[in-house]
Amino acid sequence: MLGNDVVFSSFSVDDIEKAQEFYSKTLGLTVTQSDDMPMPLLHIQLVGGGKIMVYPKPDHTPATFTILNFSVNDIEKTVDELTNSGVSFESYNNEYIKTDDKGIAHDETGSTPSIAWFKDPAGNIIAVMQEK
């Protein structure tokens, strides 16, 4: 039924200008802004042709789950680069997730990717992960 239609994801932020700066300058993504709508919208272009729409929401509540996952070749290098750009990684220590000093969760069994989480300026959760 919908198999031939264009699909994209979207999420909200509380400050569209901060989001544009973060996603374009800090993360290095291609971001454009549409001002021809009743509200400004951001369009984030993804490798492979996908896209994400970001919209402002005055009563925005950050997502309590990971909204974006970036698959990277070298998680240690990526975390270091993002940290040097001002990104702060989350720290977890519970029965399911334990992160190291950099904020990276490593699965010693090799069954799941190494992963690290951080938040955008609106508090939405993003992850970088390295597949085994």
Side-chain angles (χ1 to χ4, degrees):
M1 180 186 268
L2 298 176
N4 295 322
D5 295 309
V6 175
V7 178
F8 65 93
S9 182
S10 65
F11 58 87
S12 70
V13 296
D14 56 356
D15 186 321
I16 203 80
E17 287 80 22
K18 281 184 183 176
Q20 182 168 18
E21 184 169 329
F22 179 78
Y23 285 98
S24 64
K25 293 184 178 162
T26 303
L27 300 187
L29 301 173
T30 302
V31 180
T32 56
Q33 184 169 337
S34 296
D35 294 319
D36 56 345
M37 304 293 288
M39 64 180 153
L41 299 174
L42 297 181
H43 303 279
I44 301 173
Q45 190 65 44
L46 302 175
V47 173
K51 66 179 179 178
I52 300 166
M53 182 180 71
V54 180
Y55 57 94
K57 187 175 177 197
D59 60 346
H60 166 76
T61 301
T64 58
F65 53 88
T66 307
I67 62 164
L68 294 174
N69 293 285
F70 290 92
S71 182
V72 300
N73 292 325
D74 185 338
I75 195 164
E76 298 281 344
K77 180 180 176 187
T78 302
V79 166
D80 288 344
E81 290 172 348
L82 288 169
T83 299
N84 290 337
S85 295
V87 171
S88 296
F89 283 84
E90 299 296 299
S91 177
Y92 298 104
N93 187 9
N94 60 50
E95 65 181 298
Y96 302 109
I97 303 169
K98 290 183 181 17
T99 54
D100 63 17
D101 291 343
K102 289 184 175 184
I104 303 171
H106 298 280
D107 176 13
E108 302 307 324
T109 68
S111 61
T112 61
S114 293
I115 186 166
W117 296 268
F118 60 96
K119 293 180 180 178
D120 73 2
N124 295 312
I125 302 168
I126 302 169
V128 291
M129 64 176 57
Q130 180 180 336
E131 300 290 334
K132 299 291 179 189

mmCIF file with all atom_site columns, all heavy atoms in Angstrom, residues 64-76:
data_model
loop_
_atom_site.group_PDB
_atom_site.id
_atom_site.type_symbol
_atom_site.label_atom_id
_atom_site.label_alt_id
_atom_site.label_comp_id
_atom_site.label_asym_id
_atom_site.label_entity_id
_atom_site.label_seq_id
_atom_site.pdbx_PDB_ins_code
_atom_site.Cartn_x
_atom_site.Cartn_y
_atom_site.Cartn_z
_atom_site.occupancy
_atom_site.B_iso_or_equiv
_atom_site.pdbx_formal_charge
_atom_site.auth_seq_id
_atom_site.auth_comp_id
_atom_site.auth_asym_id
_atom_site.auth_atom_id
_atom_site.pdbx_PDB_model_num
ATOM 1   N N   . THR A 1 64 ? 12.320 10.448 24.858 1.00 0.00 ? 64 THR A N   1
ATOM 2   C CA  . THR A 1 64 ? 12.951 9.626  25.884 1.00 0.00 ? 64 THR A CA  1
ATOM 3   C C   . THR A 1 64 ? 13.599 8.386  25.268 1.00 0.00 ? 64 THR A C   1
ATOM 4   O O   . THR A 1 64 ? 13.992 7.470  25.980 1.00 0.00 ? 64 THR A O   1
ATOM 5   C CB  . THR A 1 64 ? 11.923 9.193  26.946 1.00 0.00 ? 64 THR A CB  1
ATOM 6   O OG1 . THR A 1 64 ? 10.879 8.474  26.290 1.00 0.00 ? 64 THR A OG1 1
ATOM 7   C CG2 . THR A 1 64 ? 11.357 10.399 27.674 1.00 0.00 ? 64 THR A CG2 1
ATOM 8   N N   . PHE A 1 65 ? 13.706 8.373  23.956 1.00 0.00 ? 65 PHE A N   1
ATOM 9   C CA  . PHE A 1 65 ? 14.296 7.266  23.216 1.00 0.00 ? 65 PHE A CA  1
ATOM 10  C C   . PHE A 1 65 ? 15.247 7.850  22.175 1.00 0.00 ? 65 PHE A C   1
ATOM 11  O O   . PHE A 1 65 ? 15.248 9.051  21.925 1.00 0.00 ? 65 PHE A O   1
ATOM 12  C CB  . PHE A 1 65 ? 13.206 6.426  22.529 1.00 0.00 ? 65 PHE A CB  1
ATOM 13  C CG  . PHE A 1 65 ? 12.284 7.277  21.686 1.00 0.00 ? 65 PHE A CG  1
ATOM 14  C CD1 . PHE A 1 65 ? 12.584 7.558  20.363 1.00 0.00 ? 65 PHE A CD1 1
ATOM 15  C CD2 . PHE A 1 65 ? 11.135 7.824  22.239 1.00 0.00 ? 65 PHE A CD2 1
ATOM 16  C CE1 . PHE A 1 65 ? 11.744 8.359  19.593 1.00 0.00 ? 65 PHE A CE1 1
ATOM 17  C CE2 . PHE A 1 65 ? 10.286 8.627  21.479 1.00 0.00 ? 65 PHE A CE2 1
ATOM 18  C CZ  . PHE A 1 65 ? 10.597 8.896  20.158 1.00 0.00 ? 65 PHE A CZ  1
ATOM 19  N N   . THR A 1 66 ? 16.045 7.014  21.571 1.00 0.00 ? 66 THR A N   1
ATOM 20  C CA  . THR A 1 66 ? 17.002 7.463  20.556 1.00 0.00 ? 66 THR A CA  1
ATOM 21  C C   . THR A 1 66 ? 16.262 7.812  19.274 1.00 0.00 ? 66 THR A C   1
ATOM 22  O O   . THR A 1 66 ? 15.588 6.957  18.696 1.00 0.00 ? 66 THR A O   1
ATOM 23  C CB  . THR A 1 66 ? 18.054 6.367  20.295 1.00 0.00 ? 66 THR A CB  1
ATOM 24  O OG1 . THR A 1 66 ? 18.639 5.978  21.534 1.00 0.00 ? 66 THR A OG1 1
ATOM 25  C CG2 . THR A 1 66 ? 19.125 6.863  19.350 1.00 0.00 ? 66 THR A CG2 1
ATOM 26  N N   . ILE A 1 67 ? 16.403 9.073  18.836 1.00 0.00 ? 67 ILE A N   1
ATOM 27  C CA  . ILE A 1 67 ? 15.704 9.509  17.618 1.00 0.00 ? 67 ILE A CA  1
ATOM 28  C C   . ILE A 1 67 ? 16.532 9.302  16.361 1.00 0.00 ? 67 ILE A C   1
ATOM 29  O O   . ILE A 1 67 ? 15.984 9.167  15.277 1.00 0.00 ? 67 ILE A O   1
ATOM 30  C CB  . ILE A 1 67 ? 15.266 10.986 17.708 1.00 0.00 ? 67 ILE A CB  1
ATOM 31  C CG1 . ILE A 1 67 ? 16.468 11.910 17.853 1.00 0.00 ? 67 ILE A CG1 1
ATOM 32  C CG2 . ILE A 1 67 ? 14.252 11.181 18.823 1.00 0.00 ? 67 ILE A CG2 1
ATOM 33  C CD1 . ILE A 1 67 ? 16.173 13.367 17.562 1.00 0.00 ? 67 ILE A CD1 1
ATOM 34  N N   . LEU A 1 68 ? 17.866 9.301  16.496 1.00 0.00 ? 68 LEU A N   1
ATOM 35  C CA  . LEU A 1 68 ? 18.759 9.101  15.355 1.00 0.00 ? 68 LEU A CA  1
ATOM 36  C C   . LEU A 1 68 ? 19.902 8.192  15.762 1.00 0.00 ? 68 LEU A C   1
ATOM 37  O O   . LEU A 1 68 ? 20.439 8.318  16.862 1.00 0.00 ? 68 LEU A O   1
ATOM 38  C CB  . LEU A 1 68 ? 19.356 10.433 14.881 1.00 0.00 ? 68 LEU A CB  1
ATOM 39  C CG  . LEU A 1 68 ? 18.436 11.466 14.282 1.00 0.00 ? 68 LEU A CG  1
ATOM 40  C CD1 . LEU A 1 68 ? 19.205 12.766 14.007 1.00 0.00 ? 68 LEU A CD1 1
ATOM 41  C CD2 . LEU A 1 68 ? 17.815 10.951 12.997 1.00 0.00 ? 68 LEU A CD2 1
ATOM 42  N N   . ASN A 1 69 ? 20.288 7.311  14.864 1.00 0.00 ? 69 ASN A N   1
ATOM 43  C CA  . ASN A 1 69 ? 21.443 6.437  15.051 1.00 0.00 ? 69 ASN A CA  1
ATOM 44  C C   . ASN A 1 69 ? 22.379 6.624  13.867 1.00 0.00 ? 69 ASN A C   1
ATOM 45  O O   . ASN A 1 69 ? 21.955 6.462  12.718 1.00 0.00 ? 69 ASN A O   1
ATOM 46  C CB  . ASN A 1 69 ? 21.016 4.964  15.114 1.00 0.00 ? 69 ASN A CB  1
ATOM 47  C CG  . ASN A 1 69 ? 20.202 4.654  16.334 1.00 0.00 ? 69 ASN A CG  1
ATOM 48  O OD1 . ASN A 1 69 ? 20.730 4.569  17.427 1.00 0.00 ? 69 ASN A OD1 1
ATOM 49  N ND2 . ASN A 1 69 ? 18.902 4.484  16.154 1.00 0.00 ? 69 ASN A ND2 1
ATOM 50  N N   . PHE A 1 70 ? 23.635 6.940  14.155 1.00 0.00 ? 70 PHE A N   1
ATOM 51  C CA  . PHE A 1 70 ? 24.634 7.087  13.106 1.00 0.00 ? 70 PHE A CA  1
ATOM 52  C C   . PHE A 1 70 ? 25.608 5.921  13.196 1.00 0.00 ? 70 PHE A C   1
ATOM 53  O O   . PHE A 1 70 ? 26.248 5.715  14.223 1.00 0.00 ? 70 PHE A O   1
ATOM 54  C CB  . PHE A 1 70 ? 25.397 8.409  13.259 1.00 0.00 ? 70 PHE A CB  1
ATOM 55  C CG  . PHE A 1 70 ? 24.564 9.617  12.958 1.00 0.00 ? 70 PHE A CG  1
ATOM 56  C CD1 . PHE A 1 70 ? 23.866 10.261 13.966 1.00 0.00 ? 70 PHE A CD1 1
ATOM 57  C CD2 . PHE A 1 70 ? 24.455 10.098 11.663 1.00 0.00 ? 70 PHE A CD2 1
ATOM 58  C CE1 . PHE A 1 70 ? 23.082 11.376 13.695 1.00 0.00 ? 70 PHE A CE1 1
ATOM 59  C CE2 . PHE A 1 70 ? 23.674 11.207 11.382 1.00 0.00 ? 70 PHE A CE2 1
ATOM 60  C CZ  . PHE A 1 70 ? 22.983 11.843 12.393 1.00 0.00 ? 70 PHE A CZ  1
ATOM 61  N N   . SER A 1 71 ? 25.704 5.153  12.123 1.00 0.00 ? 71 SER A N   1
ATOM 62  C CA  . SER A 1 71 ? 26.645 4.047  12.057 1.00 0.00 ? 71 SER A CA  1
ATOM 63  C C   . SER A 1 71 ? 27.994 4.613  11.614 1.00 0.00 ? 71 SER A C   1
ATOM 64  O O   . SER A 1 71 ? 28.085 5.242  10.560 1.00 0.00 ? 71 SER A O   1
ATOM 65  C CB  . SER A 1 71 ? 26.143 3.002  11.052 1.00 0.00 ? 71 SER A CB  1
ATOM 66  O OG  . SER A 1 71 ? 27.032 1.911  11.009 1.00 0.00 ? 71 SER A OG  1
ATOM 67  N N   . VAL A 1 72 ? 29.029 4.398  12.443 1.00 0.00 ? 72 VAL A N   1
ATOM 68  C CA  . VAL A 1 72 ? 30.351 4.958  12.168 1.00 0.00 ? 72 VAL A CA  1
ATOM 69  C C   . VAL A 1 72 ? 31.375 3.836  12.065 1.00 0.00 ? 72 VAL A C   1
ATOM 70  O O   . VAL A 1 72 ? 31.166 2.742  12.586 1.00 0.00 ? 72 VAL A O   1
ATOM 71  C CB  . VAL A 1 72 ? 30.769 5.981  13.252 1.00 0.00 ? 72 VAL A CB  1
ATOM 72  C CG1 . VAL A 1 72 ? 29.779 7.138  13.306 1.00 0.00 ? 72 VAL A CG1 1
ATOM 73  C CG2 . VAL A 1 72 ? 30.883 5.335  14.626 1.00 0.00 ? 72 VAL A CG2 1
ATOM 74  N N   . ASN A 1 73 ? 32.490 4.121  11.389 1.00 0.00 ? 73 ASN A N   1
ATOM 75  C CA  . ASN A 1 73 ? 33.547 3.121  11.223 1.00 0.00 ? 73 ASN A CA  1
ATOM 76  C C   . ASN A 1 73 ? 34.425 2.983  12.452 1.00 0.00 ? 73 ASN A C   1
ATOM 77  O O   . ASN A 1 73 ? 34.946 1.903  12.715 1.00 0.00 ? 73 ASN A O   1
ATOM 78  C CB  . ASN A 1 73 ? 34.419 3.461  10.013 1.00 0.00 ? 73 ASN A CB  1
ATOM 79  C CG  . ASN A 1 73 ? 33.669 3.319  8.720  1.00 0.00 ? 73 ASN A CG  1
ATOM 80  O OD1 . ASN A 1 73 ? 32.820 2.444  8.586  1.00 0.00 ? 73 ASN A OD1 1
ATOM 81  N ND2 . ASN A 1 73 ? 33.952 4.170  7.762  1.00 0.00 ? 73 ASN A ND2 1
ATOM 82  N N   . ASP A 1 74 ? 34.623 4.075  13.179 1.00 0.00 ? 74 ASP A N   1
ATOM 83  C CA  . ASP A 1 74 ? 35.515 4.069  14.339 1.00 0.00 ? 74 ASP A CA  1
ATOM 84  C C   . ASP A 1 74 ? 34.860 4.878  15.457 1.00 0.00 ? 74 ASP A C   1
ATOM 85  O O   . ASP A 1 74 ? 34.939 6.105  15.480 1.00 0.00 ? 74 ASP A O   1
ATOM 86  C CB  . ASP A 1 74 ? 36.863 4.672  13.947 1.00 0.00 ? 74 ASP A CB  1
ATOM 87  C CG  . ASP A 1 74 ? 37.903 4.596  15.045 1.00 0.00 ? 74 ASP A CG  1
ATOM 88  O OD1 . ASP A 1 74 ? 37.533 4.479  16.236 1.00 0.00 ? 74 ASP A OD1 1
ATOM 89  O OD2 . ASP A 1 74 ? 39.106 4.658  14.716 1.00 0.00 ? 74 ASP A OD2 1
ATOM 90  N N   . ILE A 1 75 ? 34.209 4.196  16.384 1.00 0.00 ? 75 ILE A N   1
ATOM 91  C CA  . ILE A 1 75 ? 33.457 4.886  17.431 1.00 0.00 ? 75 ILE A CA  1
ATOM 92  C C   . ILE A 1 75 ? 34.372 5.683  18.359 1.00 0.00 ? 75 ILE A C   1
ATOM 93  O O   . ILE A 1 75 ? 34.025 6.771  18.784 1.00 0.00 ? 75 ILE A O   1
ATOM 94  C CB  . ILE A 1 75 ? 32.541 3.925  18.217 1.00 0.00 ? 75 ILE A CB  1
ATOM 95  C CG1 . ILE A 1 75 ? 31.526 4.731  19.031 1.00 0.00 ? 75 ILE A CG1 1
ATOM 96  C CG2 . ILE A 1 75 ? 33.358 2.965  19.067 1.00 0.00 ? 75 ILE A CG2 1
ATOM 97  C CD1 . ILE A 1 75 ? 30.349 3.942  19.534 1.00 0.00 ? 75 ILE A CD1 1
ATOM 98  N N   . GLU A 1 76 ? 35.538 5.158  18.665 1.00 0.00 ? 76 GLU A N   1
ATOM 99  C CA  . GLU A 1 76 ? 36.475 5.879  19.545 1.00 0.00 ? 76 GLU A CA  1
ATOM 100 C C   . GLU A 1 76 ? 36.850 7.224  18.930 1.00 0.00 ? 76 GLU A C   1
ATOM 101 O O   . GLU A 1 76 ? 36.809 8.257  19.604 1.00 0.00 ? 76 GLU A O   1
ATOM 102 C CB  . GLU A 1 76 ? 37.729 5.039  19.803 1.00 0.00 ? 76 GLU A CB  1
ATOM 103 C CG  . GLU A 1 76 ? 37.480 3.732  20.512 1.00 0.00 ? 76 GLU A CG  1
ATOM 104 C CD  . GLU A 1 76 ? 37.290 3.859  22.017 1.00 0.00 ? 76 GLU A CD  1
ATOM 105 O OE1 . GLU A 1 76 ? 37.647 4.907  22.591 1.00 0.00 ? 76 GLU A OE1 1
ATOM 106 O OE2 . GLU A 1 76 ? 36.792 2.891  22.621 1.00 0.00 ? 76 GLU A OE2 1
#
